[in-house]
Amino acid sequence: MKKYLTTEINSALKKIGIESADLQFDKPKEEKFGDLSANIAMMLAKELKLPPRKIAQDILDNLQIDPAKISKVEIAGAGFLNFFISDNYYRDVLPLIMEAGNDYGRSDLNKGRTANLEWISANPTGPLHTGHGRAACLGKSISNLLEWTGYKVTREYYYNDAGNQMNNLAKSVYARYMQIIDSSFDFPEDGYVGDYVKEIAANIYHEKADSLKGNFDSDYFMSEGEKFTFNLIRGTLDRMGIKHDLFFNESSLYEDGTIKKTIIELKDKELAYDLDGAVWLKMKPEEGFQKDKVIVKSTGEPTYRLPDMAYHIDKIRRGYDLIVDIFGSDHGDTYKEVLYGVKNLGYDDSRIKVIIHQMVTFRMGDESVKMSKRSDKVYSLDELIDDIGVDATQFFFIMRGANTHLDFDIELAKERSDKNPVYYLQYAHARTCGILRNAEEHLKDAVSPSNDNVLINLLVNQDEIRLMKVLNRFPEEVANSAASFEPHKIINYLNELAESFHRFYHNNRIVDPEKSKSRWQEFCFAKLRSKYSKTALRS
C-alpha cells in the first residue's frame, strides 16, 4: 500500500511542478485519522512558499486513487494527508495470506546478500549463566529475521580458547583434583569455584587416579576443562534451538601467525609502537580517543584488542555484505577501539554492525538473583529454562529493545494469567486450536480444502476488519524488525495480534451459518500466526 501511494502521490506532485519527493508514512494513533498518514505537504512548504494545507489540497485535487484500495482521503491538522484503506483491500489479502501459509511475511529484499552473525562466544570456562541469555536470544532472533528478508546467514561462535581465563580454569581444575588427594591443597584466589569444576576434577581422578599428583600439566587440565564446559554450553544452546554454522577458534589466530602479521602491519603503518616492553596502539584524538591503548602487555600477553582486530579483519576478508556483532554493555566502549584499528589498517568497517545490549536484572519476587562463574551461587541459564520453560525464557529476553535495561521477573514468567505476556499469546493459540477442532467436527463442508466458495465479503464486522488490518501488516513488521535489528518489534506485533483476536473472540459468535466459511479462512491464518508466535518464542 505504501508503494502504491508513493507512486500515486509522486504522479500528483508532477502535475503541480514537483518532480519527486521523499515520502514518509506513519500509522495514526487513532482510527478516526485513517490507516496511513503522510506529512509531505509540510515538507514542501518551505520550498514552495505555500501553506501546507494549500499544498495538501493541490495534491489531493490531482490524486487518482483506486477506490478499491483507498476509500477516502482527508486533510487534517496543519496539512496531513490521511488515507483510509478500503475494507475490500484487507479482505483481498486473506486469500494471499492463506496461499503463502507459513511463508507469509518472507521477502527477497536482501536476496543474494550474505550476513555473518557472531554472538554468545562465551569463554569455555563454565556453563552459560543467565547473563548470557539476552545475547543468545537476540542473536537467534536477528539471524532468523535476516533470513526471512533474503539474507544467506552464517551463524558464528568466536571460541575464546586462549588467554589468562583459560589458564585460570586449568589451575582451578588442578586444585580440585589435588584436593581429592589432599583436602588442604590451596585453591587459587582467582579460580572458578562452581561445582562443575569439582565434577571435571572427579572425572580426571576417576581416569588417572593420583598419577598426576604434583604434576601440573597446564595443557592437559585446560583441555579437559575446556571439553567439559563447552559440552555444557552446547547442551544449553541445543535446548534453546540455537545452532551455529561455524566455530572460530581464537587460538588459530596465533597458530597461523595472524597475530604477528597484524602487529607488523600496525607498526608498518605507524599505528603501533613499543614502549616499556609493551606494544601500544596509537589512538587519534580527532577520532575521539584521548590516549593510546596497550595491545600487547609487557608480559607478552596480548590484550583483547589485538586478536579481536585480527578476527574482524578475517571476517571482512571472507566477503560478507553484513557483519553483526552482539555484545553486552561492558563492551560499549571497547568495541570502538577494535573497529578503530580495523578501519585505520585500511579495511572497510562500514559493513560491521555492532549491537550493544544493556544489562539484565533478575528477580524472584523481591529477591535479586546473582550469577557469576566464579561464585558458588550461580543461577545458570539451564536452571532458568528448567524453572520457566524455553518459550518464556526466550520471549522475556527479547521483549524489550536491546538498548534498554531489562527487568526479568522470573515469578511473572511462571504465572498463568493475562499478566504474563507469554501466557497471553499461548492462550490465543489455544483458542484458535479449539476453534479449528470444532470447525473440523461441525463444519466439514466449510473447511474442506476443495471448497472455494468463501464468502469473504460477509466479513464486515469492525472486529473482523481490525483483525484483518493487523494480519495485513505482518510482512512490513518483519521487514522493519530485520532492518533495525529489533526483534522486540515482532513481540509487540504479536501482542497486538493476540489482543485483536481476543477482542474478536469475545464479541462475536464464531459458528454462524452464513459466516462460518469466510471466518474459517480468518481462523486458519490466526492459527498460523499463533503457531508462529510459539515459533517466535523460540527465535
Side-chain angles (χ1 to χ4, degrees), residues 416-434:
R416 297 181 63 81
S417 75
D418 287 352
K419 294 179 181 178
N420 181 352
V422 181
Y423 182 84
Y424 187 70
L425 289 187
Q426 291 174 333
Y427 189 40
H429 175 75
R431 276 182 161 174
T432 57
C433 289

Side-chain angles (χ1 to χ4, degrees), residues 266 269 271 284 287 339-347:
L266 286 167
K269 294 194 175 187
L271 293 168
K284 299 177 182 179
E287 295 192 31
L339 295 187
Y340 167 89
V342 171
K343 177 183 177 182
N344 282 279
L345 280 172
Y347 296 94

Side-chain angles (χ1 to χ4, degrees), residues 150-165:
Y151 274 105
K152 181 179 180 182
V153 177
T154 298
R155 295 161 170 85
E156 187 158 332
Y157 191 114
Y158 183 52
Y159 193 77
N160 299 97
D161 58 346
N164 193 49
Q165 291 181 332

Side-chain angles (χ1 to χ4, degrees), residues 290-478:
Q290 302 306 314
K291 59 182 182 179
D292 297 345
K293 303 292 183 179
V294 174
I295 55 174
V296 181
K297 299 176 184 178
S298 57
T299 59
E301 180 189 353
T303 64
Y304 71 90
R305 300 177 185 91
L306 182 58
D308 279 13
M309 280 189 283
Y311 173 53
H312 281 81
I313 290 169
D314 179 90
K315 286 197 283 191
I316 290 172
R317 285 173 173 168
R318 287 186 244 159
Y320 296 108
D321 297 298
L322 173 65
I323 297 169
V324 180
D325 294 331
I326 301 176
F327 298 136
S329 58
D330 53 334
H331 290 73
D333 292 322
T334 55
Y335 82 88
K336 298 174 185 176
E337 299 166 1
V338 173
L339 295 187
Y340 167 89
V342 171
K343 177 183 177 182
N344 282 279
L345 280 172
Y347 296 94
D348 179 14
D349 67 336
S350 65
R351 288 177 279 168
I352 300 175
K353 166 68 177 177
V354 178
I355 298 171
I356 298 293
H357 68 81
Q358 297 304 310
M359 301 302 289
V360 182
T361 298
F362 295 90
R363 292 188 295 108
M364 283 186 172
D366 296 329
E367 182 182 349
S368 294
V369 181
K370 298 179 181 179
M371 73 295 294
S372 170
K373 283 183 194 171
R374 296 187 185 181
S375 167
D376 56 357
K377 294 180 180 179
V378 177
Y379 195 78
S380 72
L381 193 51
D382 272 321
E383 288 173 317
L384 180 63
I385 294 171
D386 290 340
D387 270 2
I388 66 175
V390 172
D391 285 358
T393 297
Q394 299 192 77
F395 185 101
F396 268 70
F397 273 125
I398 64 170
M399 70 179 182
R400 298 285 182 267
N403 62 348
T404 62
H405 181 88
L406 178 62
D407 191 21
F408 196 122
D409 189 337
I410 297 172
E411 291 298 330
L412 177 61
K414 294 179 180 181
E415 192 168 320
R416 297 181 63 81
S417 75
D418 287 352
K419 294 179 181 178
N420 181 352
V422 181
Y423 182 84
Y424 187 70
L425 289 187
Q426 291 174 333
Y427 189 40
H429 175 75
R431 276 182 161 174
T432 57
C433 289
I435 291 168
L436 294 176
R437 284 194 301 270
N438 287 332
E440 288 166 357
E441 181 178 353
H442 301 294
L443 302 170
K444 291 182 179 179
D445 291 339
V447 304
S448 170
S450 62
N451 190 327
D452 296 324
N453 184 24
V454 180
L455 306 177
I456 294 176
N457 288 334
L458 290 177
L459 299 174
V460 296
N461 182 301
Q462 281 305 301
D463 291 329
E464 295 168 333
I465 300 301
R466 287 193 194 98
L467 183 53
M468 286 189 286
K469 286 182 178 182
V470 179
L471 300 179
N472 173 72
R473 283 201 347 256
F474 183 64
E476 183 180 7
E477 295 287 344
V478 173

Side-chain angles (χ1 to χ4, degrees), residues 48-271:
L48 298 180
K49 298 179 180 178
L50 291 171
R53 286 189 69 92
K54 173 65 168 64
I55 298 171
Q57 188 62 57
D58 289 343
I59 294 172
L60 183 56
D61 291 342
N62 287 279
L63 266 180
Q64 293 183 339
I65 293 294
D66 182 355
K69 293 185 171 78
I70 299 294
S71 61
K72 183 172 60 173
V73 185
E74 290 182 346
I75 300 172
F80 289 97
L81 284 168
N82 291 342
F83 299 89
F84 295 77
I85 299 175
S86 166
D87 291 350
N88 283 331
Y89 173 82
Y90 292 113
R91 294 188 190 100
D92 291 342
V93 170
L94 285 182
L96 302 179
I97 292 174
M98 293 304 301
E99 183 180 350
N102 281 326
D103 286 329
Y104 179 60
R106 287 187 183 270
S107 69
D108 58 0
L109 292 170
N110 296 297
K111 185 178 181 181
R113 292 171 60 80
T114 58
N116 175 290
L117 259 81
E118 182 256 313
W119 83 103
I120 304 176
S121 300
N123 296 333
T125 55
L128 294 178
H129 58 68
T130 46
H132 295 114
R134 195 170 196 184
C137 298
L138 282 170
K140 182 182 177 184
S141 301
I142 292 169
S143 59
N144 288 349
L145 283 168
L146 292 178
E147 279 188 335
W148 267 57
T149 60
Y151 274 105
K152 181 179 180 182
V153 177
T154 298
R155 295 161 170 85
E156 187 158 332
Y157 191 114
Y158 183 52
Y159 193 77
N160 299 97
D161 58 346
N164 193 49
Q165 291 181 332
M166 296 304 298
N167 293 328
N168 286 338
L169 176 64
K171 293 175 185 177
S172 303
V173 174
Y174 177 69
R176 291 305 189 202
Y177 166 79
M178 287 299 298
Q179 286 177 350
I180 296 174
I181 301 168
D182 177 6
S183 60
S184 65
F185 192 88
D186 289 337
F187 191 81
E189 278 188 31
D190 54 356
Y192 294 96
V193 299
D195 287 340
Y196 65 94
V197 179
K198 295 178 181 179
E199 191 172 348
I200 299 169
N203 291 341
I204 293 173
Y205 185 80
H206 179 74
E207 181 180 348
K208 300 289 187 178
D210 59 0
S211 63
L212 301 178
K213 178 181 179 181
N215 178 23
F216 176 49
D217 183 343
S218 177
D219 289 342
Y220 172 77
F221 284 96
M222 183 186 300
S223 175
E224 291 301 303
E226 178 185 328
K227 284 188 294 186
F228 185 92
T229 55
F230 198 62
N231 280 336
L232 293 179
I233 292 171
R234 290 288 294 269
T236 304
L237 297 180
D238 284 346
R239 291 184 72 184
M240 301 176 76
I242 297 174
K243 305 292 183 184
H244 287 89
D245 305 302
L246 180 62
F247 292 88
F248 189 101
N249 286 4
E250 180 185 355
S251 59
S252 68
L253 297 170
Y254 297 87
E255 294 166 358
D256 65 8
T258 298
I259 295 296
K260 289 184 178 179
K261 291 176 185 176
T262 303
I263 295 174
I264 293 171
E265 192 175 355
L266 286 167
K267 289 182 176 180
D268 287 346
K269 294 194 175 187
E270 298 184 347
L271 293 168

